[in-house]
């Protein structure tokens, strides 16, 4: 096996090898989380094509034309920055799993691995001879995670699915957007990421169980199932016969808890209890609002949310966002904050102070930015050391680590199992 030379020896998943058969985001984010904790993640990609997420763009970034090392971009346009964000610290091999020798190479890899993750449509892994039963014959202790849109049972199990579809079936879109507008997709691939996090959680749990019992396991996750526990407040209303509605930035059980327009942008205000509400009224020089019967308690404010919005919007429009943040958050310690665009979210004093955005060396691009994961341990290390891999960058090194010599590599190339030189 190969690994990053500077990988820390005291990361929680150090020594764990993950074979990643997934494409796009769900499995990719799960294995990204594992890589952040020290696992060696090996992406098995289609020759010449790679992970579909390599082609997600524009934008694309052109590689250094003088780079002549292993691997390549999977698109003439260059590298997709979207691909970077899901594939730091991974290795890439190209195996044609529709050839006998490509499948043999995968089995050799799985024999030395701890985890396999796949997100084929149900039944596809079995048709490719890479299902759980197939790989368990190779490695009986394997932890095998299957991810699909709707799971492997039920009337929707054979349906294809993407984040957009599951945002619809999970009810998320029905409660997102303006209250008098159409259903709105959350502006990031939320159900992909939710599912990826559940998958990583399940994999780590299964690895812990294996430490206790010596037994591997199979984890089966549907994106639709994975999204439903996140409904929380909205599900609570539905459980008692109420219909959750779109509310814009408002909250169904708290007020004020929303975004308000300011002189130059928007301000989020989240008063989670009565004390904070009263302190807010004093800080904005509107003590009369705290004494108003319409806003006397949180249930009153929720019942009169529109009137409360009118009152507070008129106040907050009087000053720019930064002035309100200085006054209310910094001076009075109240839960208010700005609504940033994405570039500002990635580049501000708090993000910088926490070292969330860093750079790592990339063989064909010089350096690329990295969004670090938020787990900070006192007694262990975490974080990314390596750039996302070029397509097939590690194919030869991984195979040589498994014992393949020059003749074996030539055979694989001749049989179409791996790309030619």
């Amino acid at each position: 096996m190969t690994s990053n030379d500077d990988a820390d020896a005291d990361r929680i998943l150090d020594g764990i090898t993950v074979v990643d058969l997934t494409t796009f985001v769900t499995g990719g984010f799960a294995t990204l989380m594992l890589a952040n904790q020290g696992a060696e993640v090996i992406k098995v990609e289609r020759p010449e094509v790679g992970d579909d997420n390599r082609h997600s763009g524009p934008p694309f970034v052109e590689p250094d034309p003088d780079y002549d090392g292993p691997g390549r971009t999977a698109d003439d346009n260059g590298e997709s920055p979207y691909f970077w964000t899901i594939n730091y610290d991974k290795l890439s091999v190209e195996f044609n799993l529709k050839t006998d020798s490509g499948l043999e190479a995968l089995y050799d890899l799985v024999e030395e691995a701890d985890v396999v993750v796949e997100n084929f449509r149900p039944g596809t892994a079995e048709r490719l001879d890479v299902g759980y039963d197939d790989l368990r014959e190779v490695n009986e202790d394997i932890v095998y995670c299957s991810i699909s849109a709707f799971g492997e049972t039920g009337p929707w199990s054979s349906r294809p699915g993407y984040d957009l579809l599951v945002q619809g079936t999970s009810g998320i879109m029905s409660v997102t957007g303006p209250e008098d507008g159409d259903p709105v997709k959350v502006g990031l691939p939320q159900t992909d990421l939710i599912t990826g996090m559940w998958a990583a959680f399940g994999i780590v749990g299964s690895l812990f169980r294996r430490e206790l019992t010596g037994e591997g396991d199979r984890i089966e996750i549907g994106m639709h199932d994975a999204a439903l526990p996140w409904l929380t407040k909205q599900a609570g209303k539905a459980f008692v016969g109420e219909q959750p509605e779109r509310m814009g930035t408002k909250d169904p059980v708290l007020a004020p808890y929303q975004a308000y327009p300011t002189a130059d942008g928007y301000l989020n205000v989240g008063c989670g209890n009565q004390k904070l509400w009263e302190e807010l009224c004093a800080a904005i020089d509107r003590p009369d609002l705290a004494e108003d019967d319409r806003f006397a308690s949180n249930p009153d404010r929720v019942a009169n949310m529109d009137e409360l919005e009118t009152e507070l919007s008129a106040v907050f429009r009087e000053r720019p966002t930064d002035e309100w943040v200085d006054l209310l958050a910094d001076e009075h310690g109240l839960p208010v904050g700005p609504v940033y665009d994405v570039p500002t979210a990635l580049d501000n004093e708090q993000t910088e102070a926490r070292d969330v955005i860093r750079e790592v060396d990339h063989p064909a691009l010089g350096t690329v930015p990295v969004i670090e994961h938020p787990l900070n341990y006192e007694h262990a290390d975490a974080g990314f050391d390596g750039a996302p891999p070029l397509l097939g960058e590690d194919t030869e090194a991984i195979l040589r680590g498994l014992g393949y010599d020059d003749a074996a590599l030539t055979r694989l190339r001749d049989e179409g199992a791996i790309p030619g030189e």
Side-chain angles (χ1 to χ4, degrees):
M1 293 294 174
T2 63
S3 61
N4 294 311
D5 292 338
D6 56 350
D8 294 314
D10 57 351
R11 298 189 181 195
I12 291 170
L13 297 181
D14 185 61
I16 296 296
T17 298
V18 179
V19 176
D20 184 352
L21 300 177
T22 69
T23 62
F24 276 120
V25 182
T26 50
F29 197 79
T31 58
L32 182 73
M33 292 178 66
L34 303 178
N36 185 267
Q37 300 302 304
E40 179 181 73
V41 176
I42 303 171
K43 288 182 63 65
V44 178
E45 304 191 63
R46 291 173 294 167
E48 310 294 339
V49 178
D51 187 337
D52 289 328
N53 207 41
R54 289 184 180 272
H55 310 277
S56 296
F60 293 100
V61 178
E62 291 288 341
D64 182 350
D66 296 325
Y67 174 72
D68 61 358
R72 61 200 179 283
T73 62
D75 196 294
D76 292 338
N77 293 314
E79 284 281 290
S80 166
Y82 186 18
F83 176 80
W84 303 345
T85 63
I86 306 165
N87 289 287
Y88 305 122
D89 249 1
K90 298 182 185 180
L91 308 174
S92 171
V93 299
E94 293 174 273
F95 292 168
N96 183 351
L97 299 182
K98 295 182 179 180
T99 66
D100 291 341
S101 50
L103 200 56
E104 175 190 339
L106 177 69
Y107 289 168
D108 288 339
L109 183 59
V110 170
E111 186 176 5
E112 302 296 324
D114 300 281
V115 177
V116 173
V117 187
E118 59 90 1
N119 65 345
F120 300 114
R121 198 184 301 189
T124 300
E126 288 73 20
R127 288 196 295 274
L128 291 172
D129 295 324
V130 296
Y132 176 57
D133 291 337
D134 301 304
L135 300 189
R136 192 165 179 264
E137 289 186 12
V138 176
N139 182 344
E140 66 178 1
D141 299 329
I142 200 73
V143 170
Y144 186 103
C145 180
S146 296
I147 301 169
S148 60
F150 300 106
E152 297 182 1
T153 58
W156 300 351
S157 60
S158 63
R159 292 184 185 179
Y162 289 95
D163 171 73
L164 172 64
L165 277 67
V166 178
Q167 287 204 30
T169 63
S170 65
I172 290 173
M173 288 177 62
S174 75
V175 294
T176 304
E179 54 192 304
D180 56 351
D182 296 329
V184 172
K185 182 181 80 68
V186 177
L188 47 83
Q190 185 177 49
T191 66
D192 282 334
L193 301 173
I194 288 171
T195 307
M197 295 181 80
W198 279 121
F201 178 67
I203 289 166
V204 171
S206 291
L207 288 171
F208 181 68
R209 179 180 178 276
R210 192 178 70 176
E211 285 295 305
L212 299 176
T213 67
E215 299 176 344
D217 209 344
R218 183 173 186 239
I219 306 153
E220 189 262 315
I221 301 175
M223 292 173 63
H224 175 77
D225 306 348
L228 295 179
W230 286 49
L231 294 175
T232 60
K233 294 176 183 178
Q234 288 77 13
K237 294 189 74 169
F239 287 156
V240 295
E242 296 186 18
Q243 177 66 50
E245 304 286 352
R246 288 183 292 284
M247 302 181 69
T249 64
K250 298 186 183 75
D251 187 86
V253 300
L254 291 172
Y257 199 92
Q258 67 179 92
Y260 293 94
T262 65
D264 65 349
Y266 292 90
L267 183 75
N268 276 329
V269 178
C271 290
N273 60 49
Q274 187 67 17
K275 179 175 179 289
L276 291 171
W277 163 244
E278 293 171 0
E279 290 177 353
L280 175 70
C281 293
I284 64 175
D285 199 24
R286 287 294 306 273
D288 58 297
L289 293 178
E291 298 168 0
D292 192 314
D293 289 343
R294 296 173 299 170
F295 314 133
S297 68
N298 184 69
D300 294 324
R301 293 190 292 277
V302 170
N304 295 286
M305 209 175 280
D306 292 342
E307 293 92 332
L308 180 63
E309 181 178 33
T310 298
E311 294 281 0
L312 291 180
S313 293
V315 174
F316 291 128
R317 282 194 179 99
E318 295 174 357
R319 299 189 191 186
T321 300
D322 286 348
E323 287 189 17
W324 284 120
V325 172
D326 289 343
L327 173 66
L328 300 178
D330 295 335
E331 291 185 29
H332 290 273
L334 291 165
V336 306
V339 177
Y340 282 156
D341 58 24
V342 172
T344 307
L346 295 172
D347 184 12
N348 61 71
E349 59 184 2
Q350 180 65 23
T351 302
E352 181 179 356
R354 298 283 289 176
D355 291 325
V356 179
I357 307 298
R358 301 186 299 104
E359 289 190 338
V360 294
D361 292 333
H362 189 287
L365 299 170
T367 61
V368 296
V370 172
I371 305 174
E372 268 298 351
H373 286 190
L375 298 174
N376 301 300
Y377 298 101
E378 183 172 354
H379 300 296
D381 285 335
F384 296 114
D385 293 319
L390 291 166
L391 177 59
E393 180 179 349
D394 307 286
T395 303
E396 183 173 330
I398 292 288
L399 288 170
R400 289 191 182 279
L402 293 171
Y404 284 65
D405 59 15
D406 289 342
L409 292 173
T410 298
R411 176 178 63 85
L412 290 179
R413 293 188 183 102
D414 290 344
E415 295 174 358
I418 62 175
E421 292 183 301

